[in-house]
Structures are given as structure tokens and as C-alpha cells.
Amino acid sequence: MAPYMPSSVGGQPWIVSVSVALVTLAVISGTWLQKVAIGVTEPYLDEVFHVGQAQQYCAGNWHHWDSKITTPPGLVTGSCSLVTLRALNTAILCALCVVVFDIAYSRPLKIWSQLSQGGAGGPPRDAQSHDVQRSLHCAHTALNICLFPPLFFFSALYYTDVASTFFILVFLRLFLHTQASVGTETLAGVSMVLLGAVSLAFRQTNIFWVAVFPAGILLMKIIDDGPPHSGHNARSWGVNFKHVVKTSWMLEYLYDVPVRDASIEDYVKTIVSTAVRTPEYLISAILGQRRSRHSFRYFIPFITLLVAFGAFVLWNGGVVL
């Protein structure tokens, strides 16, 4: 995974692009909120439980709990009228647009060069047009994600889907930022634990996205001792499964073709390569090699979240509240 690049790099085009995307989304989502407010004046579907719970808390009834709620309420409230509660998700969706743009824009410049070369118009003629094209692509990506029907539909209702997605992506942004140094500093680690805990307050299944998934990505990065960008050339040494096993064990390369270029066979080869590399990595850890011994601390935020979630499941008697 390439180092994170802050979104402030690149001049003015990104500011214009994200502003246009944000205004466009605000108009569309605001219109949708207005239509829903006019047409659906009572709590709709699961809003019956979530709105009722939020209003109980707003009234100071902190000991009240609706047993029909199966997920944490993820309450983010000020005023507790139905329209205000719904408007929170509309505002969070707009914030989500900015986060998605930032994540997309922060991808390494080399990736954008490769993508632009694969386009119908060929690579941009200069750096400025390259940045404009890059900014527009990121804005389009952000709008596509925010307007994805299952997500956009609930942006005008008091559900946990939008806020849950927002906090997962904020977590992802921080995770990508820490990967510049293959791990995390103490402050970043604490921040990831806190963000992960907040995301779990909206949806229990987020444990996969804030603990299991990033830990898996980090493990794959650590066990790969191949040269930089070796994943782009994986097919040159992983011509068949025998070569994948041999090279993964002897040279400590991980077969990891970029997702945009991967086929079903590439996914299977990656699984085989990971299965070969992981035991070797664990053996080196047991033998006390420096790289393996020091890399354990990188997993502390994810282990902390998994342990805390496990404790919650034991205390709660299951995943469902």
C-alpha cells in the first residue's frame, strides 16, 4: 500500500471539484429530505424504534430501552423532532462526500498516471490538466458513492446506515494515513481504537471493517518482502501455482495483483501465496527475528478492538442487543 498523500497537495482544481460535488449533493439530498418530510410525517419502518429511543433520551429517560432494537442506537442528536433527526443523516451524507473525495484524491500519483493512460483520451498533456482530470474523477467517485441508492435512500430517514458508513470511511482514511510508515504511532493507534468503537456504536458488524479487514491488509503488507511495486509484476513470476508456492516460500514474495487488474485466478493465487507466506512469517516471529518481533505492535489497535468486542459479546450474551 503506497504512502498517503494529503489532499491539500495539488493546487486549486481539487477545491473547485469537491465544492461542486458537495453543493450538488447538498441540493439533491436536501430535496430528498424535503420530499420525505412532506410525504412521510410519521416514523417509517425501523424509525419507529430508533426515533422513539432517541426521544426518550432527549426527555432524560436514560434507563429506558426498547428491546426491539437489535443494533446500538448510534445517537447523534440535538433537537429530537423527527425532521431534525432525519436531517442529521443528510448532513452526515454531505460530510461523507468530502471524506470519500479525500480518500480518492489521496491515492498515489502513479496510480492516476496509469489510470489516465488507460482512458480513451490518453494521458493529459501537462500537470495542470492532469490534476483537473484527477480532481473531476474523484468528485465523480464521491457523488457515485453518496448517491448509491441503498445509502442515499436512508439519508432522509433516521437510520444508522449513513453514519455507520461515514465512521468506517473516516477510520479507513486514518488507517491509510498510518500505512506510510507500515504501522502506526501511539496517537494514531488510539485514534483508530476510538473511531472503531464509535463505528461499533452504530453497527456491530463493523467489527470486520475496523479490525479484521485492516489487520488482514496489514498482515499481507508485512509478510511481503518483495521489491516495491512487485505486485504489479506478480504475473511474471506467478505463471502457475507451482511457481507461486516456490517463490512465496523461498523469496518471500506475496502474489498480490492490484484489484483493478485481478482475475478469479489471481485471487486464488493470492490466497495460496498468503497461506504459504504466513507460516514462514510466524516461524520467524517465534525465532525472534527483529522484523517480526517489532511488527506485533502494529496490530495492537485491531487486537484491542477485537478483545473489547469479544468482551461485549460475552457481557451481552450475543452479538444482537
Side-chain angles (χ1 to χ4, degrees):
M1 189 177 297
Y4 178 93
M5 297 189 65
S7 60
S8 58
V9 176
Q12 297 301 318
W14 74 267
I15 298 178
V16 176
S17 297
V18 72
S19 298
V20 171
L22 187 58
V23 170
T24 301
L25 180 64
V27 171
I28 296 174
S29 58
T31 302
W32 172 235
L33 175 65
Q34 182 183 33
K35 296 293 184 182
V36 171
I38 294 174
V40 186
T41 57
E42 298 294 329
Y44 178 68
L45 294 179
D46 285 1
E47 276 192 324
V48 172
F49 313 115
H50 292 284
V51 170
Q53 184 64 48
Q55 292 177 340
Q56 286 287 340
Y57 285 160
C58 284
N61 300 325
W62 298 105
H63 298 289
H64 178 274
W65 177 255
D66 189 335
S67 61
K68 295 184 178 64
I69 298 178
T70 60
T71 61
L75 301 174
V76 182
T77 62
S79 170
C80 287
S81 67
L82 180 59
V83 174
T84 301
L85 292 174
R86 288 172 170 174
L88 284 169
N89 272 338
T90 302
I92 293 174
L93 186 70
C94 292
L96 177 63
C97 179
V98 178
V99 173
V100 172
F101 180 93
D102 187 57
I103 293 174
Y105 193 82
S106 298
R107 297 176 73 185
L109 290 172
K110 287 186 177 181
I111 291 181
W112 291 110
S113 297
Q114 293 164 0
L115 292 177
S116 64
Q117 290 171 2
R125 289 176 298 179
D126 52 47
Q128 183 176 5
S129 59
H130 178 279
D131 197 46
V132 169
Q133 184 183 35
R134 179 184 178 194
S135 300
L136 290 174
H137 187 278
C138 293
H140 187 222
T141 298
L143 281 175
N144 268 345
I145 291 177
C146 292
L147 294 177
F148 184 56
L151 183 65
F152 179 75
F153 176 81
F154 291 107
S155 68
L157 297 172
Y158 189 59
Y159 274 53
T160 57
D161 302 65
V162 177
S164 172
T165 304
F166 171 77
F167 283 108
I168 287 176
L169 289 180
V170 172
F171 178 93
L172 174 63
R173 181 191 181 280
L174 178 60
F175 174 71
L176 293 176
H177 178 71
T178 65
Q179 296 315 293
S181 58
V182 195
T184 176
E185 299 297 331
T186 301
L187 181 60
V190 172
S191 298
M192 283 198 289
V193 171
L194 293 177
L195 278 173
V198 171
S199 74
L200 290 172
F202 289 88
R203 194 66 57 85
Q204 298 99 311
T205 51
N206 286 349
I207 189 63
F208 176 83
W209 298 113
V210 300
V212 180
F213 175 75
I217 293 296
L218 185 56
L219 176 64
M220 292 181 69
K221 182 176 182 180
I222 290 176
I223 66 177
D224 184 11
D225 271 354
H229 309 298
S230 60
H232 295 279
N233 303 315
R235 291 196 180 100
S236 64
W237 57 264
V239 292
N240 55 49
F241 286 95
K242 180 180 179 180
H243 281 88
V244 169
V245 172
K246 182 178 180 180
T247 307
S248 297
W249 179 263
M250 297 183 65
L251 298 181
E252 300 184 348
Y253 284 19
L254 183 67
Y255 189 94
D256 187 19
V257 176
V259 172
R260 65 179 179 277
D261 302 324
S263 63
I264 297 299
E265 181 179 345
D266 290 321
Y267 280 97
V268 177
K269 287 182 178 179
T270 299
I271 293 173
V272 171
S273 182
T274 304
V276 172
R277 286 290 305 120
T278 302
E280 192 281 333
Y281 168 75
L282 293 176
I283 291 173
S284 66
I286 294 174
L287 294 178
Q289 295 181 7
R290 174 190 287 188
R291 178 173 62 87
S292 300
R293 184 171 66 250
H294 286 195
S295 62
F296 173 78
R297 65 186 177 88
Y298 303 148
F299 292 90
I300 291 178
F302 315 122
I303 294 174
T304 301
L305 285 168
L306 284 171
V307 170
F309 184 76
F312 159 77
V313 172
L314 289 175
W315 171 77
N316 185 61
V319 174
V320 175
L321 289 178

